Amino acid sequence: MYDHLFLITLAVLATTARVMGLIALSIISGWFLAYGAIKNRVFENIFLAIVEIFESVPVITFFPLVLIIFITDVGGSIGVELAADFLVFTAVVWNIWIGEYQAFKTIPREMIEVAENYNFGFFDRLSHMYIPFSIPRIAANLFPSVADGFFYITVSEVFTVGLTSYSVFGVGSVILYFISNGYYYEIPVTLLVLGVAILITVFSLRRLTDRAVAKYTVDTDMPIMRRGRPRLRQSATVSAVMSINPLVKLAKYNRARQGKTDLEELYSRSRKKNRAWIVVGIFALMIFIYLIYAAYSIISSVSYSQWQYLFSKTPGLLFGLLLDYIRVLTITVAALAFAMTFGYLLATRRKAESVGIPAIQFISSYPVPVYFPFIFIAIYPFTTSILGPHTEEGFVLALGFLSTFYYVFYGFWMGMKAMPVEYTEIMRNMDMGFFKKMRYVILPSTFPYLITGISSTMNSAWGGLEIAEYWPGISSGKTLQVHTGLMKSIDLATKSGNIMLAAWASFLFAIVVAIYSILFTRKMMELAKKKYVAEEGIYST
Amino acid sequence: MEVVGLDFSYENGYKVFQNINLTIEPGKFVSIVGPSGVGKSTLLRLIGAFLTPEKGQILLHGKPVLRPTPLISMVHQSIVTFPWMTAKENVLLSLKTRSIEKERSEEVARRSLEMVGLQGFEDLYPKEMSGGMRQRVAIARSLAGEPNVMLMDEPFAHLDELTAGGLRQDIYSILFNGDATLENVIMVSHNLTEVVELSDAVFILNDNPATIVGRLDITMPRPRIHRDPEFDRYLDVLYNYLTKKKGATNV
């Protein structure tokens, strides 16, 4: 048992380290990419287009690509490790990158002028200005990323293609080992240890983000984002930072001045900078050429009869996609209803909030695929008596909901927290009821946050469906599955080793999702930016 | 309106007010002045029942005010409008909680906008308006709710001097024009000139914990001219109050 406890601890540490390491990698790479984007217009357009498309394409779409590149081309244990890491990376990276880009893009002009004035170089600008300024944005995106990371790590650590199972050392593989060797008592212990690790991670991150936001948020005269009574401790920290700033700046200014006024040196530095961008450009071009080549070699390897086979399957796949969209919409509506009631309750009651938010952060970070079989076993008989032949559909929707509800919840809750305090006072002053508040003030105020949340919830719901629509052995002798669904088709194709069909289905899926994103999400975001910016309702000099 | 024996402390235990007492006669425009940080805006929020006092109570028509009510309406320092609503929709908002017919609501909104001089601008969005126009929208929204008391927290602070001057000239006639249901206006301001220009009575808040250290009734006829020596005399009295040391005799 002690050996197993040691094994469990190591596995949980490996899984947690993988998630946190990949988040750290996302943050660090994002700083450089975001800096590149704000400095070079061409790079900015490419960066934004890629992030926008990949952000709206769910992680599972990458699965066949991962199989081809990492399992087939790289191979071995390194290939499997890279495959698992890549899947998690694609789950956590986009919102962190876009958050950093937005922070870099909105840095106050005055700060940039100070940096120019003191002749800061690349690393000075990044470390003294851009990185600190991006910290609150990163903090805001951290919890959904951690939740996504833990969700995908457990399904990426073990996967089956045809008759071959691939696994890397971590919670997923250790649970599989215990099940296949009959060590059933060890499974709840693993879940408990994982729970403790997630709890420690969530609470450490909470402390870290609280301190980071208190320290790095730029103080402005606008009374937005300040709600309720003043937080003296936070204000004191901000004041302390602000008050030492002039001395720090002066010291740095003096340092920067020494021997750095020579114009020729400035020009030569500028030339060096340009050379660095050429190197980055060549590297990016090489990756692009490799991707084109990989795509060409895959397409050219498909024979005419195989294309005919794929086209014959297409109508069925599209029908499955239609049904899956209905499932995703159902999950989103349920998540929205939960957010609007529970999110409202927490945002307006401080005591409930101090308990409710950490609880939701913990629940959303605990990977659903790990605990869902227990819920399934516990309530299956009861659910069957209510839902009858639709029981499995109900479980699929429930898993989808649990795996994704927090995006729209966080969006709504953050939107409410960012709502000007004056709006709250006016609603109280007019004695508005819940529905009137929602209709006239809260929903319009939180609209930009809601659209982001809804969009992420819909994208993430696909991941939940991918697991739930075909889950053999969810409990002894039972398979959770829907009658028809695109995710089920991809699952079945992958598990039977028909990678070609899985890749084709994923490709169709990616196209439809990208079109949906462009037609719906982007339009809604434009509307939000144009009309529903609550901060614009507060006029102050 | 009455404030009786009000005590209030912040959550960290810092005592802001001790034994605040105010009696405001109907038909009066009163102001509360005091040094920066003394708690003027906090007192206004206590009067509006946005905050709960530790001790004491707020009485309107002899009845205690226990929670925010449309009868006591707040106009904020940062000018608050809803950017997704037109001027008319902003004003209509305060009528949503009352069960009145649509035609009547529209009529009240139109009249309120007319009262503040915004006839013809009903369909503009706040973004298309100047700061002064937006503050007029906020005042119209407040008036449309037919309040008995209007609380104004530095209502001209975010306007340029010319716009603020224009609005100050209009405000008294807008608020007490006979059509409005207002009985009192309570304004908080650090600008002594606007306080003398607008107020019938001024309460001076000072000391630590703060309390009302004096009341000054201003009996100058309206419109009040800044160059009038009497205007200066009132300013001097207020200035002396605010710079007076703790424990000095109240007037």
Side-chain angles (χ1 to χ4, degrees):
Chain A
M1 182 65 194
Y2 284 115
D3 284 354
H4 283 164
L5 199 61
F6 184 63
L7 184 71
I8 291 165
T9 312
L10 278 184
V12 168
L13 283 176
T15 299
T16 311
R18 232 175 241 129
V19 172
M20 300 315 290
L22 289 165
I23 287 176
L25 183 67
S26 309
I27 293 172
I28 295 165
S29 55
W31 281 329
F32 290 97
L33 289 167
Y35 191 80
I38 58 161
K39 290 289 165 194
N40 186 308
R41 201 52 184 262
V42 178
F43 183 71
E44 183 180 26
N45 287 337
I46 296 169
F47 173 75
L48 279 184
I50 289 173
V51 171
E52 251 188 27
I53 290 171
F54 283 128
E55 199 187 16
S56 59
V57 176
V59 179
I60 48 133
T61 328
F62 296 106
F63 198 62
L65 184 82
V66 167
L67 292 181
I68 290 164
I69 295 175
F70 295 112
I71 305 297
T72 313
D73 286 1
V74 180
S77 55
I78 294 174
V80 182
E81 177 65 49
L82 285 175
D85 293 345
F86 183 79
L87 281 172
V88 177
F89 185 71
T90 51
V92 301
V93 74
W94 312 115
N95 62 341
I96 289 179
W97 278 5
I98 207 75
E100 288 174 336
Y101 163 77
Q102 282 167 348
F104 281 20
K105 194 80 181 168
T106 54
I107 196 160
R109 196 156 47 92
E110 291 81 351
M111 277 192 177
I112 296 170
E113 285 172 356
V114 168
E116 283 171 354
N117 216 173
Y118 295 162
N119 201 11
F120 278 2
F122 169 69
F123 282 106
D124 277 338
R125 280 177 191 227
L126 214 55
S127 58
H128 297 310
M129 194 171 66
Y130 285 99
I131 289 176
F133 193 75
S134 68
I135 301 266
R137 292 266 189 165
I138 295 170
N141 285 317
L142 214 48
F143 284 104
S145 290
V146 169
D148 258 2
F150 274 111
F151 180 87
Y152 282 103
I153 194 80
T154 46
V155 289
S156 310
E157 281 175 347
V158 183
F159 53 90
T160 308
V161 181
L163 295 173
T164 320
S165 269
Y166 299 93
S167 67
V168 291
F169 181 66
V171 172
S173 57
V174 164
I175 289 178
L176 195 72
Y177 165 75
F178 288 146
I179 292 171
S180 51
N181 289 285
Y183 297 124
Y184 296 115
Y185 288 116
E186 273 80 346
I187 296 168
V189 178
T190 312
L191 300 185
L192 194 70
V193 175
L194 180 65
V196 172
I198 291 172
L199 204 65
I200 292 169
T201 309
V202 165
F203 275 89
S204 309
L205 285 178
R206 276 181 67 85
R207 281 185 71 89
L208 192 75
T209 51
D210 280 354
R211 292 175 74 167
V213 170
K215 186 172 176 184
Y216 294 112
T217 302
V218 175
D219 213 6
T220 72
D221 291 333
M222 286 286 283
I224 51 169
M225 294 295 286
R226 292 183 202 155
R227 214 183 141 74
R229 290 161 198 165
R231 294 175 62 186
L232 290 175
R233 200 186 302 162
Q234 185 168 321
S235 307
T237 318
V238 173
S239 310
V241 173
M242 303 282 278
S243 64
I244 61 161
N245 256 355
L247 287 175
V248 175
K249 278 180 185 167
L250 187 66
K252 282 174 188 163
Y253 171 63
N254 283 331
R255 242 182 291 143
R257 272 189 66 189
Q258 289 164 5
K260 288 192 178 173
T261 49
D262 188 65
L263 276 178
E264 184 49 41
E265 192 187 322
L266 283 179
Y267 295 144
S268 86
R269 196 188 289 175
S270 159
R271 278 197 295 273
K272 271 183 206 159
K273 225 188 272 178
N274 286 340
R275 276 203 293 276
W277 284 118
I278 289 168
V279 173
V280 172
I282 289 170
F283 185 67
L285 191 69
M286 280 165 67
I287 291 175
F288 183 68
I289 290 170
Y290 170 74
L291 288 175
I292 296 281
Y293 169 74
Y296 171 75
S297 56
I298 289 167
I299 292 166
S300 61
S301 69
V302 180
S303 68
Y304 177 71
S305 61
Q306 284 171 325
W307 277 117
Q308 275 186 321
Y309 164 73
L310 291 178
F311 286 135
S312 72
K313 289 281 181 187
T314 302
L317 293 175
L318 291 177
F319 180 65
L321 180 58
L322 177 72
L323 291 183
D324 277 356
Y325 252 113
I326 295 171
R327 289 186 185 108
V328 167
L329 282 176
T330 313
I331 290 166
T332 308
V333 169
L336 196 59
F338 176 81
M340 279 166 55
T341 47
F342 204 60
Y344 173 80
L345 189 85
L346 293 189
T348 50
R349 285 164 183 78
R350 257 207 295 172
K351 274 189 186 157
E353 187 184 67
S354 62
V355 179
I357 292 298
I360 286 182
Q361 282 167 342
F362 174 74
I363 292 166
S364 60
S365 298
Y366 202 99
V368 187
V370 172
Y371 66 80
F372 196 76
F374 298 99
I375 297 179
F376 183 83
I377 294 164
I379 65 169
Y380 187 81
F382 168 72
T383 318
T384 314
S385 65
I386 296 173
L387 295 178
H390 306 295
T391 304
E392 302 216 352
E393 193 66 60
F395 274 108
V396 169
L397 293 176
L399 195 149
F401 176 84
L402 286 171
S403 63
T404 194
F405 76 96
Y406 49 88
Y407 272 112
V408 71
F409 173 83
Y410 284 140
F412 181 77
W413 176 71
M414 279 166 66
M416 274 206 72
K417 300 303 284 181
M419 200 167 72
V421 68
E422 288 87 347
Y423 281 11
T424 314
E425 286 187 345
I426 284 177
M427 287 188 296
R428 293 180 69 198
N429 205 170
M430 291 177 179
D431 208 12
M432 285 179 159
F434 176 77
F435 290 105
K436 286 211 163 71
K437 280 182 193 171
M438 280 290 162
R439 182 175 165 194
Y440 294 111
V441 182
I442 296 175
L443 285 181
S445 286
T446 54
F447 189 68
Y449 297 85
L450 270 178
I451 289 300
T452 315
I454 288 170
S455 160
S456 303
T457 286
M458 290 181 82
N459 291 339
S460 266
W462 297 104
L465 290 184
E466 195 262 346
I467 292 162
E469 283 192 7
Y470 182 69
W471 191 338
I474 186 169
S475 69
S476 54
K478 277 207 178 76
T479 295
L480 175 64
Q481 62 177 321
V482 293
H483 185 267
T484 312
L486 182 74
M487 296 301 115
K488 181 186 176 184
S489 303
I490 295 175
D491 276 347
L492 284 172
T494 310
K495 285 195 169 65
S496 62
N498 191 351
I499 300 300
M500 186 178 63
L501 182 64
W504 177 243
S506 298
F507 177 68
L508 290 175
F509 173 57
I511 290 175
V512 173
V513 170
I515 291 172
Y516 155 81
S517 163
I518 290 162
L519 290 183
F520 178 74
T521 313
R522 206 185 277 186
K523 282 260 162 19
M524 286 292 125
M525 280 311 289
E526 277 165 15
L527 179 67
K529 277 182 207 156
K530 199 173 155 194
K531 198 171 175 185
Y532 295 101
V533 184
E535 288 84 345
E536 285 180 354
I538 306 296
Y539 182 91
S540 56
T541 50
Chain B
M1 165 135 237
E2 267 185 288
V3 176
V4 187
L6 207 70
D7 281 16
F8 181 73
S9 302
Y10 285 138
E11 269 186 354
N12 60 2
Y14 178 78
K15 185 130 190 155
V16 193
F17 300 129
Q18 188 158 27
N19 196 27
I20 300 266
N21 290 288
L22 299 172
T23 304
I24 304 163
E25 301 80 15
K28 298 267 187 199
F29 188 122
V30 304
S31 294
I32 298 167
V33 297
S36 182
V38 78
K40 299 185 290 289
S41 295
T42 306
L43 179 56
L44 213 58
R45 276 165 179 76
L46 280 162
I47 295 173
F50 296 102
L51 298 173
T52 312
E54 217 171 86
K55 223 172 88 181
Q57 54 182 349
I58 315 294
L59 300 172
L60 179 65
H61 302 140
K63 289 179 188 161
V65 181
L66 301 174
R67 61 193 193 101
T69 158
L71 291 177
I72 303 175
S73 177
M74 172 79 109
V75 174
H76 291 87
Q77 178 178 10
S78 307
I79 301 166
V80 185
T81 49
F82 296 89
W84 47 89
M85 297 178 187
T86 61
K88 191 172 80 182
E89 287 165 345
N90 262 284
V91 177
L92 278 169
L93 188 67
S94 63
L95 302 163
K96 298 284 182 198
T97 48
R98 295 161 57 189
S99 45
I100 44 178
E101 286 168 13
K102 199 182 167 201
E103 288 76 25
R104 163 111 174 91
S105 300
E106 297 261 340
E107 171 57 24
V108 173
R110 194 193 53 72
R111 199 155 37 84
S112 301
L113 282 168
E114 201 178 298
M115 253 190 251
V116 298
L118 285 181
Q119 60 273 38
F121 298 100
E122 292 87 351
D123 296 325
L124 288 192
Y125 282 93
K127 255 191 271 189
E128 299 162 332
M129 295 178 168
S130 68
M133 288 165 87
R134 288 188 195 199
Q135 189 62 305
R136 284 172 194 262
V137 171
I139 291 169
R141 186 181 60 219
S142 183
L143 287 174
E146 300 186 343
N148 293 151
V149 179
M150 187 183 281
L151 307 174
M152 300 177 102
D153 186 3
E154 307 255 16
F156 313 107
H158 290 296
L159 300 177
D160 65 86
E161 191 43 44
L162 272 179
T163 313
L167 192 53
R168 270 199 298 264
Q169 277 177 13
D170 292 347
I171 199 90
Y172 195 89
S173 52
I174 289 172
L175 298 177
F176 294 111
N177 69 353
D179 281 351
T181 53
L182 270 182
E183 292 169 15
N184 291 119
V185 175
I186 306 175
M187 179 177 81
V188 152
S189 180
H190 63 266
N191 183 336
L192 297 185
T193 309
E194 83 185 17
V195 165
V196 174
E197 184 179 341
L198 290 171
S199 313
D200 297 309
V202 185
F203 291 98
I204 297 102
L205 195 62
N206 212 338
D207 287 353
N208 187 11
T211 190
I212 299 294
V213 296
R215 169 180 170 148
L216 177 70
D217 287 298
I218 301 176
T219 53
M220 271 180 82
R222 297 171 192 275
R224 293 169 180 167
I225 317 277
H226 291 203
R227 289 186 299 273
D228 191 325
E230 204 182 347
F231 197 101
D232 281 340
R233 198 174 57 79
Y234 279 116
L235 280 179
D236 286 344
V237 174
L238 280 178
Y239 186 77
N240 286 338
Y241 260 127
L242 291 172
T243 52
K244 195 165 57 178
K245 293 224 165 55
K246 188 178 178 178
T249 319
N250 293 346
V251 176

